[in-house]
Amino acid sequence: MKPIATTRSSMNIATGKLAVWWVLVSEIVIFGGVLGSYIMNRIAHVEWGEQASHTNTWAGAFNTFVLLTSSLFAVLAHQAAEKHDGKKAAQYLYYTCFGGLIFLIVKSFEWAHEIREGFVIQSGGFWGYYYVAAGLHGFHVLAGMLVMLWVADSAKKNQDLHRVENVGLYWHFVDIVWIFLFPLLYIAK
Amino acid sequence: MANHHDTHDHHDGAHAHHDEGWFKKYFWSTDHKIIGFQYMFTGMLLALLGAFMAYVFRMQLAFPGQAVPGWGVVSPGQYNMLITNHGSIMIFWVAMPVLIAGFGNYIIPLMIGADDMVFPRLNRLSYQLFFVSVLLLIASLVVQNGGFGGAWTAYPPLSANKDFNLTPLGSSLWLGAVAVEFVAFLLGGINFIVTAMNARAPGMKAFDVPIVVWTIVIASILFMASVGPLVAGAVMLLFDQLLGTSFFNPNRGGDPILWQHLFWFFGHPEVYVVLLPAMGIVAEVMTVFARKKLFAYKTVIYTIVATGVLSFFVWAHHQFVAGIDPRMANVFTVTTVLISIPIAEMCFVYIATLYGGSITLSTPMLWALAFMAEFMLGGVTGIYLGSSGADIFFHDTYFVVAHFHYTFFPIAIIAVMSGITYWFPKMFGRHMNDFWGKVHFWGTIIPFNGIFIPLFVLGAAGEHRRIFDYHSFPHLATPELQSLRIIATVSLVVMLAFQPVFLVNYIVSMFRGPKADKNPWKANTLEWTADSPPPHGNWAELPNCYRGPYEYSVEGRELDYWPQNEKA
């Protein structure tokens, strides 16, 4: 039973979409805090460049490609939802999720390799921020995938199709965060 | 929470169509009013705990080394635990839940003419997370080695290293409690903002929204935009504690000052997060009991926004002695002194609202007037502390303690009391006793000044705030200074002794108070057009809105008020 309040729209923006935008505002400051701290420290510590050179730029570049492609599928899902084609929208959402899965698998191979080399979160300096920033981001990828599976499940039955756009907004945000993380953690040596 | 349950059983007649069990109704409810009560009652219970802690450490300071009645002899570790948790409880578990979450939940939908929040289940989840944070906090106090004692600001390395703070479990549980609480308020805040933006009554434009709704929404935005770095920082500090990382460990390439930046980037906007709703409550009460239009309504809103923006650029005034660049200190001195301009402006607006009004000195109005008077003392002493030169002397003395208690006490107690006594007839359908309300008012306000004026003097004399027993500091252990400490402590005990007057008045009035009609104060805002107390869904038919909230004593009208939902 939805309250009448939920169906109102004084700002002419759907309530769910408005809420997602505010979630993104709060997320921006969370990642802003981590990245801001990292950048200030990175400038002060030249030796972090040497530590950063142990990250695998090619794996990072591949993951960037995977994530961008998955965002494309999120857009296609939104397009299908606009045309009230819930089945197609759900299918595209599954493709998006698959992109997220590949991203996480590549990431786990990277981390396993780095941990074997002895670069762990306790190694300090660059590595602490590397694991916290990328881990926080990975956690967001995972959460986005779970929400997306739930949205796809109802989209299949042509229910709550407006949620396809909302979860897509979130997915683009996760993507953009990675666009910042990739150069900061992998390219800058 | 037993009282909570009994309280509402009483009103079953008003909404008898609810035949769910009491657990479902009071603990699993999605009704914004019940969730508001949950926050408010939890906050008030924790206020008792926070007040008890203040009593114990004030007794230790006045009568060092003697057994405190109700506690025993205070050890140095316990003393640190008590001041730390007094601070964190009063800010995170009293001011935030009561002022923002409690009042916000109760009054936002009613004031904007909606039947509930836009996301009722998210709202319930918000309180449940908050409740988990309370459990974590209580657990942090009773675990082995005792509760966290590194001050509510939790500066590393003291907070990060168990060899220094000696409370490995307590510190981590405390930090976890704070982090979970932030998530709870983020969920609640999103709900408040979206509800006020999107669920307003037909006809209610942005500038028809009561000031208190504006202040709670802007406070939620400030909270949301400032807490992120501290959430990240809390995770990093937790890793430092539990995994042995070195984000804040200077011996291994970390930076303890980073925590201070992350903490105060949140911590200073936080002051305005709690101040703004308090200012909003006072605005509602003052217009109603002065029977006058709020002076310069739109200007107040612009001022609130300006305060919010400026509050992001003042944080480093907490770090003037932390080794920051003196040129930076100059910049932050200027921004800090600048922010007193919008706040002073709001005070002038309120005084202009009172000027020429027909003022009724009811209990809520007394609290509102006291808020202005006491808060201004807090604000004026802040000018000294915001100036980096003067702050180097005053830093970490009792002058600072007295200053922020002159801001936080008016916010978290005086304005809250004003709001509770003002909305009580709406919340419970009955009136509180005005005589005992005034006894409680004077019994709180006079001792409050008795506590903190001596602390200003002590602070100016150089009394440092982190000392457990002044005997080891001969220039601070003089009989004159000790007698000031005793005055402060005795005043505190007197103030606490008057609080049962309120509690008894509150609880007895819920059941036995004279019945209140829909609009006992003859106010304009929409909540007064609903039944007292409002049923689930608030109105049988949701109201429309035709004008702004402060049309009092309009010329040419027979009545001196003009409810927002009346067409003509």
Side-chain angles (χ1 to χ4, degrees), chain B residues 370-389:
Chain B
F371 172 85
M372 292 287 294
E374 306 291 358
F375 182 79
M376 269 195 257
L377 275 172
V380 168
T381 48
I383 310 262
Y384 299 91
L385 299 172
S387 313
S388 52

Side-chain angles (χ1 to χ4, degrees), chain A residues 3-6 8-15 18-19 22-23 25-26 29-30 33-34 37 41 45 121-122 124 128-129 132, chain B residues 113 115-120 190 193-194 197-202 224-225 228-229 232 236 243-247 252 258 542:
Chain A
I4 298 165
T6 316
R8 280 183 176 166
S9 171
S10 314
M11 302 289 290
N12 289 321
I13 307 170
T15 299
L18 196 57
W22 282 110
V23 169
V25 169
S26 66
V29 269
I30 293 178
V34 178
S37 310
N41 270 301
H45 297 275
I121 192 168
Q122 289 91 342
Y129 284 97
V132 165
Chain B
D115 55 341
D116 208 327
M117 287 284 174
V118 289
F119 302 118
I190 289 171
I193 298 168
V194 178
M197 282 176 86
N198 238 4
R200 279 172 273 140
M224 182 182 272
M236 279 147 64
L243 301 180
T245 54
S246 54
F247 291 105
R252 292 171 47 209
L258 173 66
L542 294 181

Side-chain angles (χ1 to χ4, degrees), chain B residues 80-93:
Chain B
N80 285 342
M81 181 276 278
L82 289 169
I83 54 162
T84 300
N85 285 286
H86 167 75
S88 10
I89 287 175
M90 287 305 198
I91 288 173
F92 291 136
W93 283 279

Side-chain angles (χ1 to χ4, degrees), chain A residues 4 8, chain B residues 113 529 537-544 565:
Chain A
I4 298 165
R8 280 183 176 166
Chain B
T529 65
N538 298 342
W539 288 273
E541 195 183 338
L542 294 181
N544 283 2
N565 67 331

